[in-house]
Amino acid sequence: MPLVRIDVLGRDTGRLAALGRAVHEALGEVMGFPDDDRFQILTAHDGESGILRHGTYLGVRRDDGIVYVAITLREGRPAGQKQALYRRIAELAQEYAGTEPRNMFVVLTENSDADWSLGNGEAQYLV
């Protein structure tokens, strides 16, 4: 079960929903998560009360179309699968939301079974 956070600049809720769809579908295709495993926090920043900063780190020229995607999930996926996920997210984000692949900034954070409570004050993965 991944927890996905997506941050964009601007108030285009259609774009934000399309990006959520892109990430969700990529996670299903590449990592096998079921369709009903959708836990997302989608945030639009207006440029005044909330802003996004970016640079040209490692030669990638980003602009205000940047999308930050932070995915927290349980540990254990191989590097090749993670690389395939990054590619698929970029492809679907371009297809669904018109976001250029250079503006897709994705980070995965892994943790263990004990780090999750999916409700009821229980650690369901430890059962």
Side-chain angles (χ1 to χ4, degrees):
M1 182 205 86
L3 174 62
V4 176
R5 295 177 180 265
I6 300 174
D7 289 87
V8 300
L9 187 59
R11 294 192 174 263
D12 183 346
T13 56
R15 178 176 181 238
L16 197 53
L19 290 164
R21 177 180 165 211
V23 172
H24 183 70
E25 286 185 17
L27 283 164
E29 288 177 22
V30 176
M31 295 190 165
F33 288 105
D35 193 51
D36 66 345
D37 191 349
R38 176 178 246 158
F39 296 91
Q40 297 183 333
I41 302 163
L42 310 176
T43 306
H45 301 269
D46 62 12
E48 292 179 21
S49 61
I51 60 174
L52 299 179
R53 298 185 190 262
H54 52 81
T56 309
Y57 185 65
L58 295 178
V60 179
R61 187 182 53 81
R62 298 165 196 86
D63 59 30
D64 285 345
I66 192 156
V67 176
Y68 288 106
V69 179
I71 303 170
T72 304
L73 68 168
R74 292 185 292 161
E75 62 194 352
R77 276 114 187 142
Q81 189 178 45
K82 293 175 185 179
Q83 291 172 309
L85 177 66
Y86 304 144
R87 279 190 301 275
R88 191 63 179 142
I89 288 173
E91 291 167 356
L92 292 175
Q94 185 169 34
E95 180 180 339
Y96 297 162
T99 301
E100 295 180 56
R102 67 185 173 86
N103 275 324
M104 291 304 300
F105 187 106
V106 181
V107 62
L108 297 180
T109 302
E110 295 181 311
N111 58 27
S112 70
D113 291 348
D115 297 313
W116 294 87
S117 173
L118 310 180
N120 295 323
E122 301 172 10
Q124 285 85 352
Y125 292 132
L126 293 181
V127 176

